[in-house]
Amino acid sequence: MWEQLRPIGRDPRTNGYRRFAWGSADAQLREWFAHQASARGLALTEDRMGNQWAWWGDPDSEGPGLVLGSHLDSVPDGGAYDGPLGVVSALAAVDRLRAAGHRPDRPVAVANFVDEEGARFGIALAGSRVITGLLDADRARGLRDGDGITMAQAMRAAGKDPELIGPDPETVARIGTYLELHVEQGRALVDLGAPVAVGTDIWPHGRWRVDLPGEANHAGTTRLADRRDAVLALADVIQRTRAAAQDRGALATVGKVRIEPGGVNAIASAATAWLDARGANPDAVRGVIADVSATVQGYDGTVQEESWTPRTTFHPDVVRRMGEVLGGIPTLGTGAGHDAGVLAQAGIDAGMLFVRNPTGVSHSPAEFADEADCLAGVEALAAVALDLTGERR
């Protein structure tokens, strides 16, 4: 499975992945997932957002079920493990259970959530947010990518009906428990000397759009004193973002900017930046945004919140049970968002497992996990799934 996924959406110039929602690579990934379901005799369904579900058993007559999974999309020039490791491990865990002759007492599914990273349309976790009602359907349809293409247009081009987008209580009701395995996006497990950990919670996090005005003019004839350069304002805002995060003990990143008109010899008439902020303390995160907003206002700019996710604690019984089954392995909180967190907010019993990342690098082509640790993750996921389903009588 890993070798089949390896070339899809890979940029040979960077060795990173560009697997964006409703694009050509995404279509190949969805086809790959459908093939995996068919090869195992699993019933493939799609919900109102296009998330894919491969069911072992009937969730409507025998559910709610146990769902294992993650996502297959990536950030720009992302790594091979973030998302796909969880999907591949879920399929491998189901293979192990079936090979052992296990007859689960409730349905089991493998899920592939669409647009988890939000790399194309700017809202992370869109697939799970929409079906749980945490992202408004009209807003989702109207989101635009860097080329001005709306999500609705992209879905139509991919053969999907965007008018179907919306909360899907029927699908959500099929999920009794959700477990997501993910590569660690840090290096705590290196220090702890453990290949796998149980996730406990997700830090509060959000994304904000910053718009800064300027005045277009000629780069070669306009005196410095006469310029109103939006890029200078942007540079100040970025520096303030870093300083505010340091002052308040949070994390904040400006990873995407847009300059208009974008000419080498043109003074910028406008600059837009997208700011990601997160931390263990929600007040600290909000404080960063307040500090940045004060700087933005000084340039007559605006700050608009695009998403906010409060601290998400995974179900204590699921966390406890995983710890017991896996022999008291380490527990970890995380600053990264996951579909498991969205489902937990929606009242579903959710939990996570993390697989050791020897470098701690993520969202990069250098992202990596040792094969032995990945296999340990599969074993852990299969063991927990076995415990949570029991044997049909």
Side-chain angles (χ1 to χ4, degrees):
M1 288 187 285
W2 202 252
E3 289 304 317
Q4 292 168 358
L5 284 174
R6 190 182 299 276
I8 301 176
R10 193 171 192 175
D11 187 335
R13 298 169 300 177
T14 65
N15 282 327
Y17 289 90
R18 290 179 168 260
R19 297 165 167 170
F20 303 150
W22 308 118
S24 59
D26 185 61
Q28 294 178 64
L29 294 165
R30 295 173 65 84
E31 183 178 352
W32 174 86
F33 185 85
H35 173 74
Q36 296 300 320
S38 176
R40 292 166 172 79
L42 305 178
L44 182 68
T45 64
E46 290 188 17
D47 59 35
R48 293 187 61 187
M49 185 57 190
N51 301 306
Q52 294 175 295
W53 309 81
W55 283 99
W56 174 18
D58 186 346
D60 295 320
S61 64
E62 302 170 339
L66 170 66
V67 179
L68 317 174
S70 192
H71 63 97
L72 293 173
D73 64 312
S74 77
V75 299
D77 292 324
Y81 293 79
D82 181 354
L85 180 62
V87 175
V88 169
S89 297
L91 289 165
V94 167
D95 289 346
R96 290 199 175 206
L97 294 177
R98 297 176 78 178
H102 180 53
R103 299 173 64 243
D105 60 7
R106 56 173 168 157
V108 177
V110 176
N112 170 34
F113 280 98
V114 69
D115 204 6
E116 193 267 2
E117 297 289 6
R120 182 174 183 183
F121 298 103
I123 300 293
L125 308 164
S128 54
R129 285 182 191 269
V130 167
I131 64 168
T132 56
L134 296 177
L135 175 59
D136 179 75
D138 286 337
R139 185 184 180 197
R141 276 187 284 266
L143 293 172
R144 293 182 181 273
D145 66 12
D147 296 321
I149 298 171
T150 66
M151 182 181 288
Q153 291 170 328
M155 290 184 72
R156 285 194 188 96
K160 303 296 179 182
D161 183 359
E163 295 306 313
L164 294 177
I165 290 179
D168 195 335
E170 180 179 329
T171 291
V172 174
R174 291 172 172 172
I175 312 168
T177 305
Y178 177 71
L179 297 180
E180 182 169 359
L181 179 145
H182 205 280
V183 66
E184 184 191 5
Q185 294 172 290
R187 58 188 312 275
L189 287 176
V190 173
D191 296 335
L192 293 171
V196 182
V198 173
T200 54
D201 66 304
I202 297 175
W203 291 355
H205 57 279
R207 292 184 181 183
W208 289 262
R209 172 175 166 153
V210 178
D211 288 291
L212 296 159
E215 183 178 37
N217 217 325
H218 196 294
T221 61
T222 309
R223 295 184 303 175
L224 294 179
D226 293 338
R227 300 184 180 201
R228 189 184 179 206
D229 190 341
V231 171
L232 291 180
L234 174 61
D236 191 20
V237 168
I238 292 172
Q239 293 284 1
R240 183 61 185 137
T241 297
R242 174 60 179 262
Q246 288 179 319
D247 292 344
R248 295 190 178 265
L251 300 173
T253 306
V254 175
K256 178 181 177 181
V257 300
R258 185 175 66 210
I259 309 299
E260 297 177 5
V264 176
N265 61 345
I267 298 167
S269 61
T272 301
W274 283 265
L275 191 162
D276 177 298
R278 55 189 79 196
N281 184 338
D283 293 336
V285 178
R286 290 291 188 182
V288 170
I289 303 307
D291 293 346
V292 172
S293 295
T295 300
V296 172
Q297 289 168 8
Y299 291 102
D300 297 323
T302 60
V303 178
Q304 178 182 347
E305 182 178 298
E306 293 198 331
S307 66
W308 171 254
T309 304
R311 174 187 293 279
T312 304
T313 302
F314 294 124
H315 197 281
D317 289 342
V318 175
V319 173
R320 174 190 54 78
R321 198 158 172 178
M322 286 196 292
E324 292 174 351
V325 170
L326 301 175
I329 66 174
T331 58
L332 290 178
T334 179
H338 300 282
D339 292 306
V342 174
L343 297 181
Q345 290 179 59
I348 293 169
D349 295 352
M352 290 193 72
L353 291 170
F354 295 112
V355 171
R356 179 167 50 194
N357 182 336
T359 65
V361 174
S362 186
H363 284 186
S364 158
E367 183 178 80
F368 180 70
D370 288 317
E371 181 179 347
D373 288 350
C374 293
L375 293 175
V378 171
E379 293 175 2
L381 189 62
V384 173
L386 178 65
D387 178 73
L388 291 175
T389 55
E391 189 73 20
R392 185 190 300 273
R393 295 183 180 180

